[in-house]
Amino acid sequence: MKIDLKRAAAVLTEMDNILIIAHHYPDGDTLGSGFALCRGLRKMGKKANLACSHEIPHKYDYMWRDLPALDFTPENIVAVDTADTQLFGERLEKYADMVRLCIDHHGSNILYAEETLLDVTAAATAEVIFALLKEMGIEVDKDIADCLYTGIATDTGCFKYSNTTAKTHLIAAELIGLGADKDIINRLMFETKSRARIEIERHALNNMEFFLNGRCAVMFISLEMIEKSGADEGDLEGLSPLPREIEGVVVGITIREKGDNQYKISVRTGPEVNAAEVCRLFGGGGHPRASGCCLEGPFDEVKNALIEAVRQKIGAK
Amino acid sequence: MKIDLKRAAAVLTEMDNILIIAHHYPDGDTLGSGFALCRGLRKMGKKANLACSHEIPHKYDYMWRDLPALDFTPENIVAVDTADTQLFGERLEKYADMVRLCIDHHGSNILYAEETLLDVTAAATAEVIFALLKEMGIEVDKDIADCLYTGIATDTGCFKYSNTTAKTHLIAAELIGLGADKDIINRLMFETKSRARIEIERHALNNMEFFLNGRCAVMFISLEMIEKSGADEGDLEGLSPLPREIEGVVVGITIREKGDNQYKISVRTGPEVNAAEVCRLFGGGGHPRASGCCLEGPFDEVKNALIEAVRQKIGAK
């Protein structure tokens, strides 16, 4: 059931012993939202922890290094920025049927939680958390502002993507006023490339393929490339926008090898094509301009199926 | 003489037949500021044109395609975003001693104009122009908002660089509210890389050299690379932040070959080093985190002189 801000605030205020779930392959928004909420709940005297199936990339250390895990038995499960229980990942899938509250901004949210606070106009779930913390009367301190700014900045490509609104900028101004250390955060998120990252970017650019008269670009990230470059999960984040950024490209596809004949697909589109519609054809989903899905099969079949789907969407010959 | 907003508004209100000068190698801020001002002055019924020594890169076409040059003899010269008359470029240097008003945000401004409206706290000159247009009572329409948003977005790396303030975000929110087409602008400025751009980026990354225990990175853009890749001025913009974005790099230097033994240098730094101080050693200047200078001599001598200057600033062995 979808609920409003006021109801969500009431639900959270009644809870204690809260486990906050961030999605697997965690990004800045699920972590920023989760840690901001965790910090806010602790300020209210509640016990709260954040859990994620995957290890948290080191670049996010600043969000939680002073936030020790508390010892308690979870009584209430709250998922943040997680549209589907499939995104809980292996370690946390046991909680799939037990989610009391979900806070999200994905239009593809399948409403798996008992109650869901969903704002699809928000550029990031962190925007929703900010409004929620205010509704609950929790003071947003510098540490919370850091987490929320991180969520918003990472989900908008630092205010570059089309999900950014005037409201997003107003919130950013407010968070900076509350002490968010935007310079350090932006430098960590957007201006610090490891040599491994540069290496894998170079490989990926070298292997880029173009289809449909240059309107579709496909970038492949193989396990071998990842191993050779020494890239970790943090290094790989933010690669998927690259193919779509090339002049003339309407649909950019990133195919990342996850295992034997297993691929994770990212689709980024210009306004001409709905990325979520493309991914829904393969059981995935997401946002209109940025979506994802998982595919199995030999690489060439996976690639061709994707290109064929794009061909039909853009009506190309 | 430095003047305030009110005085600058009065000076402009009294003028007619105005030639607005943008700096050579024009960027989004000098053009966005100049065209916004030009549009505002024309809305007041004045004759105004913008002039630039270099051709305006095509990606900025939307700022001026509906703004035909008017036929008049310039009576008042106004320079925007131009810290020094050296930056007028060859075609416009004849105006160097005739500048009635300069509007700028560079701390390195040498106050060459009769009167100068200088706000070094502004992330972009476009912020100053926005305030000035308001002060003059000129309605900021969608076209002006597009120009101003462009100036702010390009000078802040889309709100990523440390010059961005809470005020910058508030202005961005206001400009979006006034109709600035941020999606189209951001896509053009930050998400449209020509294949030539990708080619030259790859060359530049391949040739990157590291000094001073990895704290200084030097990227060289040769005339040969530019020619081979087919890159134009627009493709080359925004390359200079790359070296500094590599993990561990405190000072990133881009050396661009301009002619026989002639080099244009860009210096980008982290908070540990003042880029303007480094460039001032070579007769250049700019902002604390982003500055430039021009050097002559054999390439290796130029490079070594720069590295030596950096070594002294960061106290490296």
Side-chain angles (χ1 to χ4, degrees), chain A residues 145 149 171-182, chain B residues 164-167 169:
Chain A
Y149 180 89
I171 293 172
E174 212 175 328
L175 291 173
I176 293 168
L178 289 165
D181 217 334
K182 67 170 181 63
Chain B
T164 310
T165 65
K167 191 177 162 192
H169 281 289

Side-chain angles (χ1 to χ4, degrees), chain A residues 10 27 45 55 67 111 130 175-177 184 216 226 244 250 276 304:
Chain A
D27 61 14
E55 202 188 333
L67 207 68
L111 304 178
F130 187 43
L175 291 173
I176 293 168
I184 288 175
C216 177
I226 295 172
R244 224 273 299 120
V250 173
N304 291 335

